[in-house]
Amino acid sequence: MEFQLGNALETPDVKEPETTPQIEELYSAWALTILCFLLIISLWTSYYVQIKRIRAVHETVLSIFAGMFVGLIVRLSPGHLIREMLTFKHTLFFNLLLPPIILNSGYELKQENFFRNFGSILTFAFLGTFISAIGIGVLVYIYSFLSLESLSLTLLECLIFGSAVSATDPVTILAIFNQYKVDPKLYSVIFGESILNDAVSIVMYETLSQFHGTDIYVSSFFHGTGIFLFSFMTSMALGVSCGLFCSLMLKHSSLHLYPGIESCLVALIAYTSYFFSNGLHLSGIVSLLFCGITLKHYAYHTMSKRTQRTTKYMFSVLAQLSENFIFIYLGLNLFTQDVQVFKPLFVMVATIAVVATRYAAVFPLSEMINLFHRARGQRQEELPHSYQMMLFWAGLRGAVGVALAAGFQGENAPALRTTVLLVVVLTVIMFGGTTARMLEVLGIRVGVEDGGDADSSDEGGAFGGDWMGGNQRRRMHGSWDRNGNQLQLGSYRNDPIRRPANRLT
């Protein structure tokens, strides 16, 4: 059974005016207006859900439904220009929406917790993603043998499909974890696994795609593994190098006197590492993640105070907008994509395969990690059962898979793209919408304050709090010093500058 949306929801042909630059500008303005309106609604909904402490549904799920509603209206409306402008474009996703999320993740990383659990993170990110991709590919290949829904796939196509749909979504789960202040250890494992998982999935997808249209031998496995490891390690080295270069540049220059230029250079160097890595057919995600980590560890303490605050909140705001935009984009794409071939049985099989392989990856690997730590003399389990269940629940799929699906080739490509999109939406609704409730059911600690690596000198700041430090808030006036801080004149408590004798206070 097959259902093709491209034919079912097409509106009668309407003669549109000849496309000119003026007409395109007009329709693009309306498309951007729709997106801005949806973003405003999404952020207000997020505010309302958090202030009312509504746990039954998460704002990301509401963003998807809002996008679906508007997408259906656009689909049923006459004309096609606005619909084409609102269609999901993988280049827009990879070049504009994804980098702010990855950069902010690396920049705000609690490094102590992350590297303390680095072994567990690498185990899930590499072995877990490998198990998931191969498992999904094999299950889908077995299903294609049944010749149901006129779907015939090669093993390579199934493995490419499995690698694309193995990319998990860190946004929904981590947003909930941040809101409830979940145990830092669990947070760091899920955070690290989800971020590196996306990078591993992309590298696997690109490696397998290189064998498209060629014969596969046993030696191809070792060749592909070599390409994968080279790409990952080189990307990591590139990101660290960019971060160290930025740190040395800030240390041996007087950029602290010009915080505006300093902030721009920090952001540009980070983004350059991403685009340069992609241009070399490496992993931009890995490069940008480790560039962000290096910037926070080395360059952050050589920046002026104004640049520290600016970069911290600039990256945070861009990531917040990108996250909300992505989920709206996914909802819109369910109806705005030109050709969508729905194969219900295949969608169901793919969803079951995603859940089953996630289970097969999380629990055996968790037991292996626990055995390793017990062998080293640790009495307490490294990953108790409640953590394992939460890791399993955090396996919802994200927009990275949808973007990778744009590169599918062959006669089955439309059906595979539609299936990936539906699997992503279904898992976000099923798992993301119930994460808060699962935290209660599993009895996982929440409300845990973790100072981590946070720099107390810039907490609060632009988004609330007292960045001057509570009891020492002072009125500021005068000029700026070499660190980008205002000079303090007059009589102040704990002020190291002696007050002039003729100064009235």
Side-chain angles (χ1 to χ4, degrees), residues 32 102 111 238 307 362 368 378 433 450 475 486:
L32 290 172
I102 302 301
Q111 295 181 18
L238 179 61
T307 299
V362 168
M368 185 180 74
Q378 182 174 315
D450 177 39
R475 248 182 323 185
Q486 283 183 304

Side-chain angles (χ1 to χ4, degrees), residues 136-145 151-162 208 211-216 346 409-412 416:
I136 293 170
V138 170
L139 291 174
V140 168
Y141 186 59
I142 293 172
Y143 170 77
S144 70
F145 271 122
L151 191 67
S152 179
L153 299 169
T154 65
L155 177 60
L156 182 61
E157 286 178 325
C158 293
L159 292 176
I160 292 174
F161 174 82
L208 289 169
F211 296 99
H212 199 280
T214 63
D215 295 328
I216 300 179
F346 182 54
Q409 303 174 21
E411 59 180 10
N412 295 310
L416 293 176

Side-chain angles (χ1 to χ4, degrees), residues 156 160 163 202-214 404 407-409:
L156 182 61
I160 292 174
S163 63
I202 292 173
V203 176
M204 283 185 64
Y205 172 86
E206 293 175 346
T207 303
L208 289 169
S209 297
Q210 293 183 20
F211 296 99
H212 199 280
T214 63
L404 292 176
F408 287 161
Q409 303 174 21

